[in-house]
Amino acid sequence: MIIIAVVVGFILFMSLIKRYKRCPSDKILVVYGKTGGGSAKCIHGGGAFIWPIIQDYSFLSLIPISIEANLTNALSKQNIRVDVPSKFTVGISTEQDSMGNAAERLLGLSSDQIQELARDILFGQLRLVIATMSIEEINSDRDSFLDKVSKNVEQELKKIGLKLINVNVTDIKDESGYIEALGKEAAAKAINEAKVSVAEQDKIGEIGKAEAERDTRIKTSQANAVAVQGENNAKIDIANSDATRREKEAEALKIAVSAEKVQQAKALQESYIAEQQAEQARAERERATQKANIIVQEEIEKQRRIIDAEAEAEKIRVNAKGEADAIFVKMDAEARGYYEILTKQADGYREMVKAAGNAQSAYQLLLIEKLPELVKTQVEAIKNIKIDKITVWDGNNGKDGNTSTANFLAGLMKSVPPLNDLFNQAGMDLPEYLGKTKEKKTDKKEKNIEVIEVKN
């Protein structure tokens, strides 16, 4: 609620501020409505607060208005009709009474409407003033004519709030030519007076001319004498000056020739010294150039070798890095493959043990699965043995009634690894359902022989 009240108060405050109107210097602020006195309140400069609803405002411009009043056929005191082309400059007055009249009679009118209203007043008052004056008064005493026009016009303009600023009457003419005749008369009179004045002045001029010529001859003779004397003195001075000048010129020439010779000798000496220094500088420059060429060439070759070595090293590093990355990728792929294989095998074994019920049964199943490969391996051991011919010299002297041929075949079969030995080498025991090992008693001198009994 407090925020709403603050917002409403701010809006009201801004609205009241906007209702305060300032009056420019070239305008009159007219406040109308309920003003407390009169039909309107006029303000020139400053400002005023305009109450909403009960008051409103408008402006009257103080810009001057130029009005051309070319009056024709105006009747003078002598009943001679004259044309009086004139131009008036008027504007709204800033006097308190006149501002009130302007607010009552001109507020709301355009500039053209105000100009037309003022023109009617100006024509009427101008005719009235001309009717009270003669042609001579109008033509000869323009100040009096303009003064009367200003007084009459200003009084009438004040009634509607206007003020006469300036009036300008250009040329007055009449139909009968009376003003023109007066002008010719005045012109002839002026011409005659001018002629008399000219003759008088000519007489005075001739007398003055004769006296001036006399004085001129006297003064001229005196001046000529003084001039001749002055010329003689001047010639003497000129001759003395010429002699002095020639003497000075000779001395100056001698000094100049000596100085020129000295300067030429100094110039030659300086030229020789400069040439010597130039040759030394040229030799130094050539030596520096040769040295710079060799050093720069060596430096360039050195930099080239360094760059080549760095490039070769960078190439080796890049190749080595590439090979290492390739080996790493290959080994990583193989390791991932082995890991996947072992993982899958472990999962398979796990599932096999789970399906068989226990590890022993799963072991037997795996062994049965691998048994054909084991038998195949034993068969492959003797399959490729080629026996073209066997010669046996048998003398029937074998032990226990065995012949040499029987012993040869028995030894040949013993060269094939039995299943029990294969299992023992793998760290396993042959299952009982595949056969069991029996011990056979022999002589004390003979070792025990393992015989594998395979069940059907």
Side-chain angles (χ1 to χ4, degrees), residues 285-301:
R285 181 173 62 82
E286 292 294 335
R287 186 162 46 254
T289 301
Q290 295 296 328
K291 184 177 179 181
N293 290 335
I294 295 172
I295 293 174
V296 169
Q297 189 66 29
E298 293 294 332
E299 187 67 24
I300 291 173
E301 184 65 22

Side-chain angles (χ1 to χ4, degrees), residues 352-375:
M352 185 177 289
V353 171
K354 184 177 179 182
N358 53 52
Q360 183 66 29
S361 298
Y363 175 77
Q364 293 173 359
L365 290 174
L366 287 173
L367 187 59
I368 292 171
E369 183 180 357
K370 297 295 182 179
L371 185 59
E373 294 182 7
L374 295 174
V375 175

Side-chain angles (χ1 to χ4, degrees), residues 69-86 88 122-139 141-142 144-150 152-153 167 169 171-174 179:
N70 297 324
L71 183 62
T72 58
N73 294 326
L75 193 62
S76 66
K77 184 178 180 181
Q78 298 165 317
N79 293 326
I80 297 175
R81 294 189 178 277
V82 295
D83 297 335
V84 184
S86 56
F88 295 85
L122 294 174
F123 276 135
Q125 294 304 313
L126 194 57
R127 289 181 183 274
L128 181 61
V129 172
I130 291 173
T132 60
M133 297 181 70
S134 63
I135 299 298
E136 289 82 358
E137 291 175 345
I138 295 172
N139 190 43
D141 194 0
R142 289 291 181 91
S144 177
F145 171 69
L146 294 177
D147 185 57
K148 289 182 179 180
V149 170
S150 299
N152 290 351
V153 169
V167 57
V169 177
D171 191 13
I172 301 175
K173 296 180 180 180
D174 66 302
I179 296 176

